Amino acid sequence: MKNKNLDIHKKLVKALESRQLETAENLINEGLKNDDNDALLHSYQGNLYGLKHDFSNAAKSHQKALELEPVVERHEWHKNNISLCITLLGEQLLTKGEHSDAKECFTKAISLFPLARSFQQLGHINYLEDDLESSFSNLDKAEELNDKLHTIYLTRGLCFFKNNKHDECETNLLKCIELNPAEINALIVLSKFYTLKGDLDKSIEHLNSAQ
């Protein structure tokens, strides 16, 4: 059974990389008929759901992979996949304005496997809730895990803006743009920031960059 699925695994990797979703789905179904306890196959199924933006089922498939995984060294990898899928589900909910459910997703993701992205998004919700102390704390944790994640500095800049700490706000927003010059939200906030400071030249410069 396992030897039969080895060839399916190789074909699946190519299908997923080239976004041939129907082919990937057929391969997964074929593989599961051979061995429905194939942990790697369930993980690939999670990747397929992820490509379809079905992060709820993606997380379930990765959870199944974790439960079936005989190689202990791979457990952390599966947990990382589960946490990422739950975080992405939270981001979908956040976009829809469902803040409470999104917050629950980010909190659960962190409890399973802490990712910088999860902490940053939780910090962003804290910012929206005016809980700046919790926001700063979660953003610090995110930075410890990945100091190159530009959205950390965007959210932190927004927090400092709310706190009327202009120097710290400017520093973080500029750091965000340094890491990702295409971050429109940071450019817009900086434009507003410089307008309030009376520096219209810089305000217009950043506003033009956002267009």
Side-chain angles (χ1 to χ4, degrees):
M1 293 289 188
K2 290 184 179 179
N3 287 336
K4 189 179 291 187
N5 274 355
L6 284 177
D7 185 51
I8 288 176
H9 291 166
K10 293 176 183 177
K11 291 178 180 177
L12 257 174
V13 170
K14 293 181 179 178
L16 291 170
E17 286 179 346
S18 59
R19 301 295 193 270
Q20 297 175 22
L21 304 189
E22 186 176 350
T23 299
E25 187 170 3
N26 290 335
L27 287 166
I28 288 168
N29 290 336
E30 182 183 348
L32 290 175
K33 287 179 182 177
N34 295 335
D35 180 9
D36 62 2
N37 289 322
D38 185 333
L40 190 56
L41 205 58
H42 284 283
S43 183
Y44 286 135
Q45 187 177 49
N47 292 340
L48 175 62
Y49 280 126
L51 290 173
K52 293 180 176 181
H53 293 173
D54 183 354
F55 300 118
S56 178
N57 279 320
K60 291 175 184 176
S61 291
H62 287 301
Q63 178 64 41
K64 183 71 174 178
L66 173 63
E67 293 167 1
L68 295 171
E69 181 58 70
V71 182
V72 176
E73 287 78 9
R74 291 182 187 162
H75 286 189
E76 292 300 292
W77 174 60
H78 291 305
K79 289 178 183 177
N80 178 90
N81 287 335
I82 297 167
S83 180
L84 178 58
C85 288
I86 294 174
T87 298
L88 292 170
L89 176 60
E91 290 178 0
Q92 279 186 335
L93 295 168
L94 185 58
T95 302
K96 296 177 182 177
E98 299 176 25
H99 294 177
S100 178
D101 290 340
K103 186 177 183 179
E104 185 177 342
C105 284
F106 300 137
T107 302
K108 183 177 181 180
I110 289 167
S111 70
L112 290 170
F113 192 93
L115 299 172
R117 186 168 183 163
S118 310
F119 276 116
Q120 183 275 321
Q121 290 287 16
L122 185 56
H124 182 68
I125 288 185
N126 296 146
Y127 158 77
L128 295 174
E129 296 173 335
D130 288 329
D131 183 0
L132 300 187
E133 183 178 351
S134 295
S135 184
F136 282 126
S137 175
N138 282 312
L139 293 171
D140 287 346
K141 292 172 184 175
E143 188 175 11
E144 288 174 10
L145 292 169
N146 181 5
D147 63 359
K148 303 300 182 186
L149 182 61
H150 71 279
T151 48
I152 295 171
Y153 307 98
L154 170 59
T155 303
R156 187 182 283 145
L158 291 170
C159 288
F160 280 126
F161 190 82
K162 254 184 188 181
N163 260 351
N164 292 316
K165 294 186 176 180
H166 295 165
D167 290 343
E168 293 90 340
C169 170
E170 182 181 22
T171 298
N172 277 275
L173 292 176
L174 289 174
K175 177 68 173 179
C176 173
I177 293 171
E178 176 189 332
L179 293 171
N180 183 10
E183 177 52 68
I184 292 176
N185 290 324
L187 291 166
I188 291 173
V189 175
L190 264 175
S191 178
K192 292 180 180 178
F193 171 77
Y194 288 124
T195 297
L196 291 174
K197 287 186 69 175
D199 191 339
L200 296 183
D201 288 339
K202 280 190 176 181
S203 175
I204 293 170
E205 175 189 341
H206 286 90
L207 188 59
N208 287 337
S209 298
Q211 294 175 356

Tab-separated table of all heavy atoms in Angstrom, residues 163-201:
chain	number	residue	atom	x	y	z
A	163	ASN	N	-1.853	56.470	21.133
A	163	ASN	CA	-1.301	56.940	22.412
A	163	ASN	C	-0.671	58.322	22.307
A	163	ASN	O	-0.104	58.816	23.278
A	163	ASN	CB	-0.232	55.955	22.911
A	163	ASN	CG	-0.771	55.015	23.964
A	163	ASN	OD1	-1.886	55.190	24.443
A	163	ASN	ND2	0.012	54.024	24.331
A	164	ASN	N	-0.762	58.917	21.101
A	164	ASN	CA	-0.160	60.226	20.844
A	164	ASN	C	1.356	60.241	21.072
A	164	ASN	O	1.921	61.263	21.453
A	164	ASN	CB	-0.820	61.304	21.727
A	164	ASN	CG	-2.261	61.557	21.313
A	164	ASN	OD1	-2.559	61.663	20.123
A	164	ASN	ND2	-3.152	61.641	22.286
A	165	LYS	N	1.994	59.096	20.853
A	165	LYS	CA	3.449	59.018	20.943
A	165	LYS	C	3.991	59.067	19.512
A	165	LYS	O	4.219	58.045	18.866
A	165	LYS	CB	3.869	57.734	21.662
A	165	LYS	CG	3.448	57.719	23.130
A	165	LYS	CD	4.000	56.516	23.876
A	165	LYS	CE	3.645	56.583	25.355
A	165	LYS	NZ	4.163	55.415	26.116
A	166	HIS	N	4.187	60.286	19.038
A	166	HIS	CA	4.443	60.508	17.622
A	166	HIS	C	5.786	59.978	17.146
A	166	HIS	O	5.883	59.439	16.040
A	166	HIS	CB	4.314	62.002	17.316
A	166	HIS	CG	2.919	62.517	17.519
A	166	HIS	ND1	2.619	63.860	17.605
A	166	HIS	CD2	1.735	61.860	17.660
A	166	HIS	CE1	1.315	64.015	17.785
A	166	HIS	NE2	0.770	62.818	17.823
A	167	ASP	N	6.830	60.131	17.946
A	167	ASP	CA	8.150	59.657	17.522
A	167	ASP	C	8.157	58.142	17.344
A	167	ASP	O	8.674	57.616	16.353
A	167	ASP	CB	9.220	60.058	18.541
A	167	ASP	CG	9.493	61.554	18.536
A	167	ASP	OD1	9.105	62.217	17.547
A	167	ASP	OD2	10.079	62.061	19.510
A	168	GLU	N	7.570	57.438	18.329
A	168	GLU	CA	7.514	55.975	18.263
A	168	GLU	C	6.628	55.513	17.104
A	168	GLU	O	6.916	54.516	16.443
A	168	GLU	CB	7.004	55.397	19.585
A	168	GLU	CG	7.940	55.598	20.761
A	168	GLU	CD	7.655	56.904	21.503
A	168	GLU	OE1	7.023	57.801	20.897
A	168	GLU	OE2	8.071	57.011	22.674
A	169	CYS	N	5.544	56.256	16.872
A	169	CYS	CA	4.654	55.946	15.757
A	169	CYS	C	5.410	56.039	14.440
A	169	CYS	O	5.368	55.118	13.611
A	169	CYS	CB	3.470	56.916	15.761
A	169	CYS	SG	2.440	56.838	14.273
A	170	GLU	N	6.102	57.140	14.247
A	170	GLU	CA	6.844	57.356	12.995
A	170	GLU	C	7.903	56.280	12.794
A	170	GLU	O	8.049	55.731	11.698
A	170	GLU	CB	7.493	58.743	13.016
A	170	GLU	CG	8.251	59.074	11.739
A	170	GLU	CD	8.901	60.442	11.816
A	170	GLU	OE1	9.130	60.960	12.935
A	170	GLU	OE2	9.172	61.015	10.743
A	171	THR	N	8.645	55.960	13.852
A	171	THR	CA	9.711	54.956	13.766
A	171	THR	C	9.180	53.611	13.300
A	171	THR	O	9.761	52.957	12.422
A	171	THR	CB	10.406	54.796	15.133
A	171	THR	OG1	11.012	56.040	15.511
A	171	THR	CG2	11.477	53.720	15.071
A	172	ASN	N	8.056	53.189	13.874
A	172	ASN	CA	7.507	51.877	13.533
A	172	ASN	C	6.906	51.842	12.132
A	172	ASN	O	7.063	50.864	11.410
A	172	ASN	CB	6.473	51.458	14.580
A	172	ASN	CG	7.110	50.841	15.808
A	172	ASN	OD1	7.390	49.646	15.837
A	172	ASN	ND2	7.361	51.666	16.818
A	173	LEU	N	6.238	52.918	11.752
A	173	LEU	CA	5.653	52.954	10.411
A	173	LEU	C	6.737	52.973	9.334
A	173	LEU	O	6.608	52.329	8.292
A	173	LEU	CB	4.725	54.159	10.263
A	173	LEU	CG	3.438	54.118	11.111
A	173	LEU	CD1	2.656	55.412	10.947
A	173	LEU	CD2	2.571	52.920	10.732
A	174	LEU	N	7.805	53.702	9.596
A	174	LEU	CA	8.924	53.725	8.649
A	174	LEU	C	9.605	52.363	8.563
A	174	LEU	O	10.039	51.939	7.487
A	174	LEU	CB	9.936	54.800	9.058
A	174	LEU	CG	9.484	56.249	8.856
A	174	LEU	CD1	10.506	57.225	9.438
A	174	LEU	CD2	9.260	56.549	7.363
A	175	LYS	N	9.676	51.665	9.711
A	175	LYS	CA	10.239	50.316	9.728
A	175	LYS	C	9.361	49.379	8.884
A	175	LYS	O	9.872	48.534	8.133
A	175	LYS	CB	10.321	49.796	11.159
A	175	LYS	CG	10.838	48.371	11.298
A	175	LYS	CD	12.297	48.240	10.922
A	175	LYS	CE	12.823	46.859	11.222
A	175	LYS	NZ	14.252	46.713	10.824
A	176	CYS	N	8.045	49.526	9.011
A	176	CYS	CA	7.111	48.725	8.229
A	176	CYS	C	7.348	48.917	6.732
A	176	CYS	O	7.429	47.950	5.966
A	176	CYS	CB	5.670	49.099	8.593
A	176	CYS	SG	4.420	48.323	7.552
A	177	ILE	N	7.493	50.174	6.314
A	177	ILE	CA	7.692	50.486	4.894
A	177	ILE	C	9.075	50.024	4.418
A	177	ILE	O	9.238	49.596	3.275
A	177	ILE	CB	7.494	51.994	4.651
A	177	ILE	CG1	6.030	52.364	4.885
A	177	ILE	CG2	7.913	52.377	3.236
A	177	ILE	CD1	5.762	53.836	4.885
A	178	GLU	N	10.048	50.089	5.315
A	178	GLU	CA	11.391	49.589	4.973
A	178	GLU	C	11.329	48.099	4.630
A	178	GLU	O	11.966	47.637	3.670
A	178	GLU	CB	12.338	49.809	6.154
A	178	GLU	CG	13.734	49.234	5.956
A	178	GLU	CD	14.563	49.281	7.224
A	178	GLU	OE1	14.329	50.164	8.074
A	178	GLU	OE2	15.445	48.411	7.370
A	179	LEU	N	10.545	47.342	5.403
A	179	LEU	CA	10.420	45.905	5.171
A	179	LEU	C	9.498	45.582	4.011
A	179	LEU	O	9.684	44.585	3.316
A	179	LEU	CB	9.900	45.215	6.452
A	179	LEU	CG	10.858	45.232	7.643
A	179	LEU	CD1	10.146	44.735	8.901
A	179	LEU	CD2	12.072	44.359	7.357
A	180	ASN	N	8.492	46.425	3.805
A	180	ASN	CA	7.546	46.218	2.705
A	180	ASN	C	7.113	47.574	2.145
A	180	ASN	O	6.119	48.146	2.598
A	180	ASN	CB	6.327	45.425	3.176
A	180	ASN	CG	5.359	45.139	2.040
A	180	ASN	OD1	5.675	45.370	0.874
A	180	ASN	ND2	4.175	44.651	2.364
A	181	PRO	N	7.848	48.085	1.164
A	181	PRO	CA	7.547	49.413	0.599
A	181	PRO	C	6.142	49.516	0.002
A	181	PRO	O	5.645	50.622	-0.209
A	181	PRO	CB	8.612	49.575	-0.495
A	181	PRO	CG	9.722	48.669	-0.093
A	181	PRO	CD	9.047	47.495	0.558
A	182	ALA	N	5.503	48.376	-0.252
A	182	ALA	CA	4.173	48.394	-0.876
A	182	ALA	C	3.035	48.350	0.149
A	182	ALA	O	1.873	48.220	-0.242
A	182	ALA	CB	4.035	47.210	-1.835
A	183	GLU	N	3.364	48.475	1.436
A	183	GLU	CA	2.322	48.425	2.461
A	183	GLU	C	1.521	49.731	2.452
A	183	GLU	O	1.921	50.747	3.027
A	183	GLU	CB	2.939	48.191	3.847
A	183	GLU	CG	1.950	48.182	5.001
A	183	GLU	CD	0.773	47.246	4.791
A	183	GLU	OE1	0.976	46.021	4.791
A	183	GLU	OE2	-0.349	47.770	4.611
A	184	ILE	N	0.385	49.694	1.773
A	184	ILE	CA	-0.427	50.896	1.551
A	184	ILE	C	-0.934	51.488	2.863
A	184	ILE	O	-0.937	52.716	3.040
A	184	ILE	CB	-1.608	50.575	0.615
A	184	ILE	CG1	-1.081	50.261	-0.795
A	184	ILE	CG2	-2.586	51.741	0.545
A	184	ILE	CD1	-2.159	49.829	-1.762
A	185	ASN	N	-1.352	50.639	3.789
A	185	ASN	CA	-1.911	51.159	5.043
A	185	ASN	C	-0.901	51.995	5.814
A	185	ASN	O	-1.245	53.042	6.373
A	185	ASN	CB	-2.411	50.000	5.914
A	185	ASN	CG	-3.648	49.330	5.338
A	185	ASN	OD1	-4.501	49.997	4.770
A	185	ASN	ND2	-3.747	48.025	5.471
A	186	ALA	N	0.348	51.545	5.831
A	186	ALA	CA	1.386	52.303	6.527
A	186	ALA	C	1.632	53.640	5.836
A	186	ALA	O	1.822	54.674	6.498
A	186	ALA	CB	2.679	51.493	6.595
A	187	LEU	N	1.622	53.643	4.517
A	187	LEU	CA	1.834	54.877	3.762
A	187	LEU	C	0.713	55.886	4.022
A	187	LEU	O	0.962	57.085	4.194
A	187	LEU	CB	1.921	54.567	2.271
A	187	LEU	CG	3.166	53.791	1.821
A	187	LEU	CD1	2.982	53.244	0.405
A	187	LEU	CD2	4.413	54.677	1.890
A	188	ILE	N	-0.532	55.386	4.097
A	188	ILE	CA	-1.674	56.273	4.347
A	188	ILE	C	-1.617	56.852	5.752
A	188	ILE	O	-1.839	58.054	5.950
A	188	ILE	CB	-2.990	55.501	4.121
A	188	ILE	CG1	-3.171	55.190	2.632
A	188	ILE	CG2	-4.183	56.312	4.635
A	188	ILE	CD1	-4.344	54.292	2.331
A	189	VAL	N	-1.304	56.004	6.731
A	189	VAL	CA	-1.213	56.484	8.118
A	189	VAL	C	-0.074	57.491	8.260
A	189	VAL	O	-0.210	58.515	8.937
A	189	VAL	CB	-1.011	55.314	9.099
A	189	VAL	CG1	-0.802	55.838	10.518
A	189	VAL	CG2	-2.221	54.388	9.076
A	190	LEU	N	1.051	57.226	7.598
A	190	LEU	CA	2.171	58.173	7.646
A	190	LEU	C	1.782	59.507	7.022
A	190	LEU	O	2.169	60.574	7.520
A	190	LEU	CB	3.382	57.593	6.919
A	190	LEU	CG	4.433	56.893	7.781
A	190	LEU	CD1	5.499	56.263	6.911
A	190	LEU	CD2	5.061	57.852	8.783
A	191	SER	N	1.013	59.452	5.949
A	191	SER	CA	0.551	60.686	5.307
A	191	SER	C	-0.297	61.505	6.274
A	191	SER	O	-0.114	62.724	6.408
A	191	SER	CB	-0.242	60.352	4.045
A	191	SER	OG	-0.736	61.533	3.446
A	192	LYS	N	-1.221	60.826	6.971
A	192	LYS	CA	-2.048	61.514	7.969
A	192	LYS	C	-1.184	62.059	9.104
A	192	LYS	O	-1.398	63.177	9.595
A	192	LYS	CB	-3.090	60.552	8.531
A	192	LYS	CG	-4.160	60.133	7.535
A	192	LYS	CD	-5.144	59.167	8.180
A	192	LYS	CE	-6.217	58.732	7.183
A	192	LYS	NZ	-7.151	57.753	7.785
A	193	PHE	N	-0.205	61.253	9.504
A	193	PHE	CA	0.691	61.630	10.588
A	193	PHE	C	1.438	62.919	10.259
A	193	PHE	O	1.493	63.861	11.066
A	193	PHE	CB	1.671	60.488	10.846
A	193	PHE	CG	2.786	60.812	11.802
A	193	PHE	CD1	2.560	60.843	13.166
A	193	PHE	CD2	4.056	61.091	11.325
A	193	PHE	CE1	3.598	61.138	14.047
A	193	PHE	CE2	5.088	61.387	12.193
A	193	PHE	CZ	4.860	61.413	13.558
A	194	TYR	N	2.001	62.983	9.039
A	194	TYR	CA	2.758	64.170	8.651
A	194	TYR	C	1.843	65.374	8.430
A	194	TYR	O	2.255	66.523	8.643
A	194	TYR	CB	3.590	63.878	7.401
A	194	TYR	CG	4.772	62.983	7.664
A	194	TYR	CD1	4.957	61.796	6.960
A	194	TYR	CD2	5.721	63.327	8.639
A	194	TYR	CE1	6.049	60.971	7.207
A	194	TYR	CE2	6.805	62.498	8.899
A	194	TYR	CZ	6.964	61.333	8.183
A	194	TYR	OH	8.038	60.521	8.444
A	195	THR	N	0.609	65.125	8.040
A	195	THR	CA	-0.355	66.225	7.913
A	195	THR	C	-0.598	66.872	9.272
A	195	THR	O	-0.623	68.108	9.404
A	195	THR	CB	-1.689	65.719	7.334
A	195	THR	OG1	-1.458	65.221	6.011
A	195	THR	CG2	-2.714	66.848	7.245
A	196	LEU	N	-0.783	66.030	10.287
A	196	LEU	CA	-1.012	66.537	11.647
A	196	LEU	C	0.210	67.294	12.171
A	196	LEU	O	0.078	68.232	12.957
A	196	LEU	CB	-1.344	65.381	12.594
A	196	LEU	CG	-2.704	64.701	12.360
A	196	LEU	CD1	-2.853	63.480	13.259
A	196	LEU	CD2	-3.848	65.687	12.638
A	197	LYS	N	1.397	66.891	11.724
A	197	LYS	CA	2.617	67.571	12.138
A	197	LYS	C	2.864	68.842	11.331
A	197	LYS	O	3.765	69.625	11.643
A	197	LYS	CB	3.831	66.636	11.990
A	197	LYS	CG	3.892	65.527	13.039
A	197	LYS	CD	5.187	64.738	12.939
A	197	LYS	CE	6.368	65.583	13.365
A	197	LYS	NZ	7.631	64.803	13.394
A	198	GLY	N	2.065	69.028	10.270
A	198	GLY	CA	2.224	70.216	9.443
A	198	GLY	C	3.286	70.079	8.383
A	198	GLY	O	3.665	71.070	7.743
A	199	ASP	N	3.780	68.857	8.182
A	199	ASP	CA	4.795	68.611	7.153
A	199	ASP	C	4.076	68.119	5.899
A	199	ASP	O	4.014	66.919	5.613
A	199	ASP	CB	5.801	67.565	7.647
A	199	ASP	CG	7.027	67.457	6.751
A	199	ASP	OD1	6.929	67.875	5.576
A	199	ASP	OD2	8.057	66.955	7.220
A	200	LEU	N	3.527	69.057	5.122
A	200	LEU	CA	2.695	68.689	3.976
A	200	LEU	C	3.500	68.047	2.849
A	200	LEU	O	2.968	67.221	2.105
A	200	LEU	CB	1.966	69.931	3.466
A	200	LEU	CG	0.964	70.555	4.444
A	200	LEU	CD1	0.255	71.734	3.799
A	200	LEU	CD2	-0.046	69.520	4.923
A	201	ASP	N	4.767	68.413	2.711
A	201	ASP	CA	5.592	67.814	1.659
A	201	ASP	C	5.723	66.298	1.872
A	201	ASP	O	5.536	65.502	0.942
A	201	ASP	CB	6.973	68.453	1.636
A	201	ASP	CG	6.945	69.877	1.085
A	201	ASP	OD1	5.965	70.194	0.377
A	201	ASP	OD2	7.875	70.640	1.360
